[in-house]
């Protein structure tokens, strides 16, 4: 046996992706972190590069990844219990740090119960596996995250058992709910809270209103699920995400989130009623058959949630909001198209892969890290640069990026 024939095929596919500008650039490697100093936010060192870089593509919106409190919590847990759980949760791989994290999240999210997963990706897959039976009908926004789409696929949801509505289009959602096939007993409507590429948010209040109208048509009702991976810890006055921003915290049935963005660590979770969460524990393969987080990550994430829910967290959220407003209004003044909104994801909608590459390369030379997004990560023709604001940014940092963008525009 040999890999020769397979290698030829893969090589052809990779070259095709390159020719179509879909090939992801080689990964840059971070090897150093320089904390904030006064008017300058954190900077990063890269392997093979001298100088330091300003990072505008981090999901760690509250800059908690490098917070000394989280690092101390992780160290303490590791010293006490080691680095890995040694087994999946139900085979005595459950430690007190897992339980404390679940309880802390439940209190913060204001839901009865929480299960943590090793990522939000596996949370979405596990939730789909748990809620799908032959009489389940899934409804989703066309721009939902890949993990939601993949979750439905691995759960064997057929074309006939799902409907996709146009992005944030409530009339289309209602049309789908009106046309659910007969025999369906459970409808699950699932959507991103903050859409990860465009940075706009789901019209959750309207979605809930529409879903309520059709709830009595189905034996198990119409269930609403938000994946607010980019919203929780970054959006809403107290960081409770899109539910808080849209005033729907009490109405949403199930919340999926990540610990790897605002909370600065790693992992994911599902929050809901005790019964939903117990069902997830019984049925979600991605929970049952895969190791959970280590105690260090759990302890650090618990600390992160507690910080978010404290005066320190409110201060971070306020600076995040102020820097977001500053950047959004600055790029508008430069005439760069974006998606209106108030979330810290600010896309530069350049709509052309070559322009995206030119801008990314230009900013890199100016010491700024951003990432271009092309099909299939975004729809064809919607090529963009996703800029992400961070609570550790200063006013001067944003001015520096805006000046670099101005230079790029002038040189084009
Ligand atoms: C909406 C959404 N869900 C899930 C994920 C996956 O998160 P994680 O890295 O925790 O798997 C992401 C991250 O890109 C996301 O944007």
């Amino acid at each position: 046996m040999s890999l020769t024939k397979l290698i030829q095929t893969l090589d052809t596919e990779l070259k095709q992706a390159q020719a179509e500008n879909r090939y992801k650039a080689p990964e840059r490697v971070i090897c150093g972190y320089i904390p904030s100093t006064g008017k300058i936010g954190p900077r990063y060192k890269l392997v093979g590069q001298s100088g330091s870089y300003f990072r505008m593509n981090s999901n760690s919106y509250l800059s908690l990844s490098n917070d000394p409190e989280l690092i101390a919590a992780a160290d303490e847990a590791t010293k006490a219990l080691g680095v890995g759980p040694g087994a999946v949760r139900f085979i005595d791989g459950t430690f007190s740090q897992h339980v404390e994290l679940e309880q802390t999240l439940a209190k913060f999210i204001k839901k009865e119960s929480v299960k943590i997963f090793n990522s939000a990706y596996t949370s979405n897959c596990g939730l789909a596996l748990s809620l799908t039976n032959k009489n389940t009908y899934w409804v989703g926004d066309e721009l939902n995250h890949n993990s939601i789409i993949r979750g439905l696929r691995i759960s064997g949801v057929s074309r006939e058992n799902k409907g996709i509505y146009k992005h944030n289009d409530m009339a289309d959602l209602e049309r789908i709910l009106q046309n659910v096939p007969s025999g369906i007993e459970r409808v699950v409507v699932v959507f991103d809270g903050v859409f990860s590429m465009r940075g706009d948010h789901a019209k959750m209040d309207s979605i809930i209103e529409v879903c309520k109208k059709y709830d009595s048509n189905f034996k198990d009702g119409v269930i609403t699920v938000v994946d607010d991976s980019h919203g929780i810890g970054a959006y809403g006055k107290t960081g409770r995400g899109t539910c808080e921003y849209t005033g729907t915290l009490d109405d949403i049935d199930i919340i999926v989130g990540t610990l790897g963005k605002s909370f600065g660590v790693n992992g994911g979770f599902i929050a809901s009623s005790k019964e939903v969460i117990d069902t997830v524990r019984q049925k979600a393969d991605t929970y049952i058959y895969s190791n959970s987080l280590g105690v260090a990550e759990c302890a650090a994430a618990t600390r992160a949630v507690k910080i978010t829910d404290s005066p320190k967290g409110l201060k971070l959220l306020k600076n995040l909001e102020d820097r977001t407003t500053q950047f959004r209004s600055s790029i508008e003044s430069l005439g760069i198209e974006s998606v209106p909104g108030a979330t810290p994801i600010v896309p530069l909608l350049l709509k052309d892969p070559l322009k995206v590459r030119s801008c990314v390369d230009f900013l890199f030379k100016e010491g700024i890290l951003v990432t271009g997004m092309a099909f299939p990560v975004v729809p064809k023709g919607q090529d963009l640069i996703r800029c992400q604001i961070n609570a550790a940014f200063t006013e001067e940092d944003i001015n520096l990026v805006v000046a670099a963008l101005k230079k790029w525009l002038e040189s084009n």
Side-chain angles (χ1 to χ4, degrees):
M1 302 267 259
S2 128
L3 280 177
T4 312
K5 288 189 287 180
L6 176 67
I7 286 170
Q8 271 171 6
T9 306
L10 297 182
D11 196 46
T12 308
E13 286 172 9
L14 290 167
K15 287 198 173 107
Q16 177 79 13
Q18 274 169 336
E20 293 170 9
N21 289 311
R22 295 185 282 109
Y23 184 84
K24 288 176 195 64
E27 287 155 16
R28 300 183 284 235
V29 181
I30 293 176
C31 59
Y33 175 78
I34 307 164
S36 302
T37 47
K39 291 186 169 180
I40 299 175
R43 294 293 189 269
Y44 293 82
K45 305 284 284 178
L46 296 180
V47 169
Q49 303 289 337
S50 57
S52 61
Y53 289 82
F54 177 67
R55 190 170 173 202
M56 240 199 159
N57 53 8
S58 166
N59 294 317
S60 184
Y61 297 108
L62 295 183
S63 202
L64 292 175
S65 306
N66 298 83
D67 188 289
E69 286 189 57
L70 270 71
I71 295 168
D75 279 354
E76 200 183 310
T78 304
K79 281 182 192 138
L81 286 157
V83 290
V88 300
R89 290 284 297 269
F90 83 96
I91 305 182
D92 284 333
T94 298
F95 290 70
S96 55
Q97 285 79 0
H98 294 115
V99 178
E100 190 188 355
L101 175 56
E102 287 172 345
Q103 288 170 349
T104 307
L105 278 166
K107 187 164 162 260
F108 180 73
I109 301 290
K110 299 184 193 295
K111 288 284 176 211
E112 218 174 19
S113 194
V114 162
K115 263 301 129 204
I116 51 167
F117 284 68
N118 43 31
S119 69
Y121 201 104
T122 52
S123 307
N124 277 324
C125 293
L127 184 67
L129 288 162
S130 306
L131 294 182
T132 303
N133 63 29
K134 65 180 181 1
N135 296 320
T136 306
Y137 190 86
W138 285 86
V139 183
D141 188 290
E142 66 178 341
L143 294 188
N144 275 350
H145 189 259
N146 175 280
S147 53
I148 299 175
I149 298 163
R150 183 64 59 200
L152 300 196
R153 289 193 183 141
I154 63 169
S155 304
V157 178
S158 67
R159 226 174 244 269
E160 294 71 41
N161 277 40
K162 68 178 173 211
I164 310 296
Y165 60 91
K166 291 196 198 92
H167 179 52
N168 260 340
D169 184 332
M170 294 303 103
D172 204 30
L173 167 62
E174 184 148 10
R175 178 189 63 75
I176 290 172
L177 290 176
Q178 279 165 350
N179 290 294
V180 171
S182 63
I184 292 296
E185 296 180 343
R186 175 186 303 172
V187 174
V188 189
V189 179
V190 59
F191 43 87
D192 286 21
V194 172
F195 288 86
S196 55
M197 293 297 142
R198 293 170 54 82
D200 54 349
H201 68 78
K203 295 177 182 169
M204 286 186 58
D205 38 352
S206 309
I207 293 176
I208 282 163
E209 209 178 295
V210 174
C211 291
K212 275 185 182 160
K213 273 169 70 178
Y214 295 88
D215 187 62
S216 60
N217 290 2
F218 307 97
K219 179 176 153 280
D220 294 344
V222 178
I223 321 300
T224 48
V225 180
V226 65
D227 171 357
D228 207 13
S229 287
H230 282 278
I232 293 169
Y235 200 38
K237 274 278 168 281
T238 66
R240 285 175 171 79
T242 312
C243 297
E244 180 177 22
Y245 193 87
T246 57
T248 54
L249 213 49
D250 293 335
D251 296 305
I252 189 83
D253 299 310
I254 302 174
I255 299 176
V256 175
T258 184
L259 304 167
K261 302 195 194 296
S262 278
F263 294 137
V265 191
N266 244 330
F269 65 89
I270 303 174
S272 188
S273 73
K274 278 199 178 96
E275 294 75 11
V276 168
I277 297 306
D278 202 24
T279 301
V280 163
R281 199 170 70 80
Q282 306 299 327
K283 292 190 172 177
D285 291 353
T286 50
Y287 175 84
I288 299 168
Y289 298 104
S290 182
N291 265 15
S292 187
L293 303 173
V295 292
E297 286 175 312
C298 292
T302 301
R303 202 60 241 140
V305 180
K306 287 183 177 169
I307 289 174
T308 307
D309 204 14
S310 75
K312 176 174 165 180
L314 289 179
K315 208 167 146 206
L316 290 169
L317 284 162
K318 177 73 176 79
N319 194 46
L320 181 62
E321 190 185 348
D322 290 350
R323 299 288 70 78
T324 299
T325 308
Q326 182 194 352
F327 186 65
R328 281 184 177 274
S329 66
S330 302
I331 62 158
E332 195 179 338
S333 310
L334 290 179
I336 298 177
E337 186 181 346
S338 188
V339 178
T343 76
I345 296 177
V346 189
L348 310 181
L349 272 179
L350 302 180
K351 298 181 176 174
D352 173 349
L354 296 179
K355 272 193 192 162
V356 165
R357 189 183 291 173
S358 142
C359 188
V360 169
D361 291 348
F362 187 91
L363 292 179
F364 185 68
K365 284 189 193 120
E366 297 283 317
I368 299 160
L369 303 179
V370 290
T371 307
M373 305 290 178
F375 179 79
V377 180
V378 292
K380 276 195 174 133
Q382 293 294 309
D383 307 74
L384 57 85
I385 293 173
R386 179 171 70 171
C387 295
Q388 290 166 286
I389 311 302
N390 194 286
F393 289 178
T394 65
E395 207 173 325
E396 287 74 10
D397 288 332
I398 298 284
N399 288 339
L400 183 136
V401 178
V402 173
L405 281 169
K406 188 161 182 275
K407 254 166 80 183
W408 175 73
L409 285 170
E410 284 162 1
S411 68
N412 271 272

